[in-house]
Amino acid sequence: MFRLSLRPGDWFVLLVSIILVVFLTLQSMGDRGGVPIVRIEGEDESWVYPLDADIEVEVEGPLGHTHIHIHDGAVWVSDSPCTQKVCIAAGQISAPGTFIACLPNMVLVRIEGRQEGEIDGLAF
Amino acid sequence: MDLHSDLHKRRIDLVAFLGALCLFLSTVEYLFPKPIPFMRLGLANLPILVSLKLLPFPYLMLLTLVKVAGQGLINGTLASYVFIFSVAGSYSSVLVMYAVSRTGGRFLSLVGVSLAGSMTSNAVQVLLSIYFIFGKNAVMIAPLFLGIGTVSGLLIGLIAEGFVEHSRWHANLRRLYAQE
């Protein structure tokens, strides 16, 4: 093989590149803190709880009270005055971005926060 | 530029030849396995690197257009959004490589030029994917993307520099296409 002599500028560019990569790596690893929050929206009010709370919330809607539980990092609707009970059937949610809605009683429960860097699908 | 001059015709010929070489190298790149979907060696950048000091700016832009369009055809991405990424990445990297090689002068070989171009191309594509497709979570892939860019840019730069230093064909071209 032949010899190649790297020049000072080459080392400089290489150094900048490596620093950039290391910096970005540290940033993307260190920035995972923060507990997701549970946002509960009623007819014209809204509440925010941390997902790691342990609490039962009653939200008043046009039909009556919707009971929402937050326990062990999961949220579910335990009782609702609506007829279809879709919100109860929705079960427990725990991932940011997911939600439970009770349309008849106008209640929306949503988990907000940083997604854990999960990508559903990639196509190239 | 004088469109009827002999030099112009020779330059266009060179663009056509190097453009064809870009397409050929894009195809050759299929030889290498891709452990990660978006990992690319960037062999098709070799002709561009090699011609940075041979061709004036407009011809480089033309060569880049040939490269991007050809790659789009070969990879089948010409009609998809990936093509926009490809255009943005290629042109930003050519602009940076041109600027860097002109300002760096003797302090910089094609290794540094290639590395700068590769980083630019990958950074631009990460930024585009953050703003237009995947949202903020795409930051997660930035280190991987730029890490790959560092390695492939370095590798391609070493090949290009080795070629330019030792090729008699290239030495001949440098004489023929001497600027100013």
Side-chain angles (χ1 to χ4, degrees):
Chain A
M1 271 310 267
F2 35 73
R3 292 186 33 181
L4 278 173
S5 47
L6 288 186
R7 295 175 213 172
D10 297 336
W11 290 111
F12 176 72
V13 177
L14 182 59
L15 197 68
V16 171
S17 305
I18 291 175
I19 289 174
L20 190 67
V21 171
V22 169
F23 173 76
L24 283 171
T25 310
L26 291 180
Q27 262 231 322
S28 69
M29 289 198 319
D31 208 20
R32 293 255 182 113
V35 181
I37 56 166
V38 181
R39 184 179 293 275
I40 301 171
E41 283 172 36
E43 201 174 359
D44 41 30
E45 276 179 292
S46 112
W47 297 264
V48 171
Y49 295 97
L51 187 57
D52 58 0
D54 191 5
I55 198 168
E56 184 185 347
V57 190
E58 253 179 54
V59 181
E60 180 153 9
L63 300 180
H65 294 283
T66 298
H67 293 256
I68 298 158
H69 287 259
I70 306 176
H71 184 64
D72 272 346
V75 189
W76 68 96
V77 176
S78 61
D79 189 27
S80 172
C82 52
T83 52
Q84 304 279 325
K85 311 287 185 201
V86 171
C87 45
I88 301 175
Q92 299 191 351
I93 57 168
S94 53
T98 51
F99 65 90
I100 301 174
C102 182
L103 296 180
N105 209 25
M106 301 176 95
V107 175
L108 178 67
V109 182
R110 205 160 31 146
I111 302 181
E112 295 175 355
R114 177 175 294 277
Q115 254 117 335
E116 299 284 301
E118 287 167 20
I119 299 172
D120 282 304
L122 275 178
F124 284 89
Chain B
M1 88 185 99
D2 180 6
L3 292 178
H4 296 288
S5 74
D6 198 38
L7 186 58
H8 170 72
K9 281 174 192 157
R10 274 191 288 134
R11 282 171 171 164
I12 288 291
D13 281 351
L14 187 61
V15 167
F17 175 72
L18 291 172
L21 208 54
C22 285
L23 305 198
F24 173 67
L25 289 171
S26 319
T27 318
V28 167
E29 202 161 294
Y30 278 116
L31 277 176
F32 301 97
K34 283 185 184 167
I36 313 164
F38 43 76
M39 197 186 125
R40 245 207 318 220
L41 200 51
L43 281 178
N45 290 312
L46 278 173
I48 290 183
L49 276 170
V50 159
S51 58
L52 276 176
K53 290 197 169 155
L54 288 179
L55 292 169
F57 189 69
Y59 297 90
L60 283 173
M61 294 290 100
L62 187 62
L63 177 58
T64 310
L65 185 67
V66 175
K67 180 205 146 196
V68 168
Q71 272 184 322
L73 275 174
I74 288 174
N75 298 330
T77 54
L78 194 57
S80 73
Y81 72 89
V82 177
F83 185 65
I84 300 167
F85 280 54
S86 172
V87 169
S90 286
Y91 270 100
S92 59
S93 94
V94 168
L95 290 176
V96 165
M97 288 196 292
Y98 182 80
V100 162
S101 81
R102 288 296 145 115
T103 50
R106 287 185 299 105
F107 292 105
L108 205 66
S109 75
L110 284 180
V111 178
V113 174
S114 162
L115 197 50
S118 156
M119 294 305 274
T120 308
S121 162
N122 284 6
V124 163
Q125 295 190 45
V126 169
L127 287 178
L128 280 181
S129 64
I130 288 174
Y131 284 112
F132 292 111
I133 300 185
F134 300 120
K136 269 189 140 182
N137 286 324
V139 176
M140 292 296 190
I141 63 163
L144 182 67
F145 223 89
L146 292 184
I148 292 170
T150 309
V151 176
S152 65
L154 201 61
L155 208 64
I156 296 297
L158 286 170
I159 298 174
E161 180 64 22
F163 178 77
V164 167
E165 276 178 28
H166 295 86
S167 160
R168 256 179 270 164
W169 174 73
H170 195 270
N172 205 23
L173 284 184
R174 276 201 300 270
R175 240 194 351 270
L176 273 170
Y177 291 85
Q179 286 171 41
E180 273 93 45

